[in-house]
Amino acid sequence: MEAGKLSKYLTGGAIWGFIVLELVFFSIAGEFFSVSEKAFMDVDNMLLLLKQSAPIGIIAMGMTIVMVNGNIDLSVGAIYAICAIVLLDSMTWTMFAGLGNWVIPVAWCLALLTGVVLGAINGLIVWKTGVDAFIVTLGSMLGYRGLVFMYNGEQPTSHLNWTLVDFAEAQFLGFHTATWFLIVVTAVIWFVMTRTVHGRNAYAIGNNREAAVNAGIRVGPHMMINFMIIGFLAALSAVVFYSESGSVNPNDGQLYELWVITAVVLGGTKLTGGAGSIISTFGGVVAIQLLRKGLSHIGADTSTVNLVIGLILIAVLFLDRQLNVKGKEELNV
C-alpha cells in the first residue's frame, strides 16, 4: 500500500476500528474492574455518551475547518465561557423583563453573535498582521479569559429557565437535544467541506497557501470566515450545554481547546493543514469520550485518563509524521 494511502487509512478510517477495540476492551474489563453495576455497552450508557460528546464535538467540527486551513484556534474554551455568561446573564437584563419566554431566543442570538464577533477578531488579526494563528489565538485565549473574570469576578453566573431546561433535556427518537445538535452540525459542516467551493478552498489553502493565492483564492477573508465559524460553534456549544446547566463558572471551558484538538488530530486532520475529514473528526470525538467514560467505568482517576489520551495523541502524531516522511521520499525518487 502506498504511504499516502496508508496514512489516510491509519489516521482516518482506522478511527472506527479503534472505537470497536475500545468497546470490546472496556466491555470485557468492566466485567472484572467495573465500579458500576451497568454494562459498559448498555444502550442508555451509549446514548448518554453521545450527549456528553456534544460540547467538545460541536467545537471540533469548527476546529477541523480551521486546521484543514493550516491554522489553529486556542481561544475556543474562553469563547465558550464568555458566550455562556452572555446567554445566562442576558435573560436577567431589565430591558428584556417583559419578554417572558421570548427572552430565550434573544439570549441565544446574543450568545451566538458574541461567538461570531470574537472569532472575527481572531481572524481579522491573523489576516491583517500575518502573525501565526497559534500566537494570535494564544493571546486571545488569555485576553478572553480575562474578560470572563472581569465580568463577574470569581463568582458563577446563574439563571435557570425551566422552559429552556425542558427543551435541553428533551429526547427525540431516543437521542437527547444535545446529540441532535451535534448530528446536525456534523452534517452541515460535512456538506460545506465536501460539496462547496468554500470547502475546496480550505483544503487548497492548507495544502499550499502560495498556490492558492496564485489561483485567485482570497486567502485572508476565507480564513476570517473560518474563524467566525468556529467562534459561532463554540457559542452554540455553550448555548446547548448551559441551557440545561443554568450556571457557568469563570473557569469553565478551560482545556477545551486541548480536548478538541486531540479529537480532531485523532480523527486524522493534519496540524500542517491540507487534509482532514469531518466524519473522522466525529469518530475522534466519540473515541475520546469512550476513553474517558471507559477508564472511569473501570475505576481510573482523572490523571490516568489524561495520561492515556496524551500518550495516544503522541503516538498518532508520530505515526502520521513517519508516514508523511516516507510519502515525501517516494515522491523524490
Side-chain angles (χ1 to χ4, degrees):
M1 187 181 291
E2 294 178 6
K5 292 181 179 179
L6 181 59
S7 174
K8 183 177 180 180
Y9 170 75
L10 288 174
T11 56
I15 188 64
W16 304 104
F18 181 59
I19 288 172
V20 171
L21 286 176
E22 286 182 294
L23 290 171
V24 172
F25 173 78
F26 289 120
S27 295
I28 295 173
E31 297 293 326
F32 301 97
F33 305 107
S34 176
V35 295
S36 171
E37 294 182 2
K38 273 191 174 183
F40 182 68
M41 289 184 66
D42 179 81
V43 173
D44 290 338
N45 214 19
M46 293 298 102
L47 290 174
L48 181 59
L49 181 142
L50 287 173
K51 177 186 178 183
Q52 292 170 338
S53 299
I56 295 295
I58 291 171
I59 303 174
M61 298 307 152
M63 187 68 79
T64 304
I65 302 179
V66 171
M67 287 175 62
V68 164
N69 233 171
N71 294 311
I72 202 164
D73 191 343
L74 300 178
S75 67
V76 289
I79 293 177
Y80 174 88
I82 290 177
C83 295
I85 290 173
V86 171
L87 170 74
L88 298 180
D89 199 53
S90 62
M91 287 193 282
T92 67
W93 292 351
T94 306
M95 69 178 78
F96 300 143
L99 292 179
N101 280 332
W102 283 105
V103 74
I104 294 173
V106 172
W108 275 44
C109 289
L110 288 173
L112 295 173
L113 179 62
T114 300
V116 171
V117 170
L118 295 178
I121 292 172
N122 286 340
L124 188 64
I125 295 173
V126 172
W127 172 16
K128 294 299 184 180
T129 65
V131 176
D132 189 88
F134 180 91
I135 301 300
V136 172
T137 58
L138 178 63
S140 60
M141 174 184 73
L142 298 174
Y144 294 162
R145 183 64 64 178
L147 290 177
V148 172
F149 281 94
M150 287 173 62
Y151 192 86
N152 212 13
E154 299 283 343
Q155 301 303 313
T157 300
S158 303
H159 179 75
L160 201 59
N161 183 299
W162 288 107
T163 301
L164 202 52
V165 171
D166 289 341
F167 169 76
E169 292 183 344
Q171 294 186 45
F172 178 66
L173 299 178
F175 294 112
H176 297 86
T177 299
T179 305
W180 280 111
F181 271 94
L182 174 58
I183 291 170
V184 171
V185 166
T186 301
V188 170
I189 301 300
W190 173 85
F191 180 84
V192 169
M193 293 299 286
T194 60
R195 298 292 186 271
T196 68
V197 173
H198 185 85
R200 290 193 292 273
N201 287 349
Y203 286 102
I205 293 170
N207 190 52
N208 190 323
R209 188 170 297 185
E210 184 177 346
V213 171
N214 293 334
I217 298 174
R218 300 184 65 205
V219 173
H222 175 91
M223 292 193 303
M224 182 174 172
I225 290 171
N226 288 337
F227 277 105
M228 292 169 70
I229 290 173
I230 194 173
F232 173 85
L233 292 177
L236 181 62
S237 177
V239 164
V240 171
F241 181 79
Y242 289 101
S243 291
E244 181 177 358
S245 168
S247 179
V248 53
N249 290 300
N251 287 315
D252 284 1
Q254 283 192 347
L255 297 183
Y256 265 35
E257 55 279 346
L258 299 183
W259 287 108
V260 168
I261 292 168
T262 300
V264 174
V265 171
L266 194 59
T269 299
K270 298 183 185 300
L271 286 171
T272 53
S277 163
I278 295 299
I279 301 301
S280 293
T281 290
F282 183 87
V285 170
V286 173
I288 291 290
Q289 192 60 37
L290 271 172
L291 270 177
R292 296 174 69 178
K293 199 170 188 66
L295 289 170
S296 176
H297 183 70
I298 61 176
D301 56 21
T302 303
S303 59
T304 302
V305 174
N306 291 338
L307 174 62
V308 170
I309 293 177
L311 291 174
I312 289 174
L313 176 62
I314 292 171
V316 169
L317 290 173
F318 176 77
L319 181 60
D320 180 64
R321 178 176 175 79
Q322 291 302 110
L323 290 169
N324 285 335
V325 168
K326 290 179 182 178
K328 288 179 180 178
E329 289 174 350
E330 288 183 4
L331 288 175
N332 291 331
V333 174

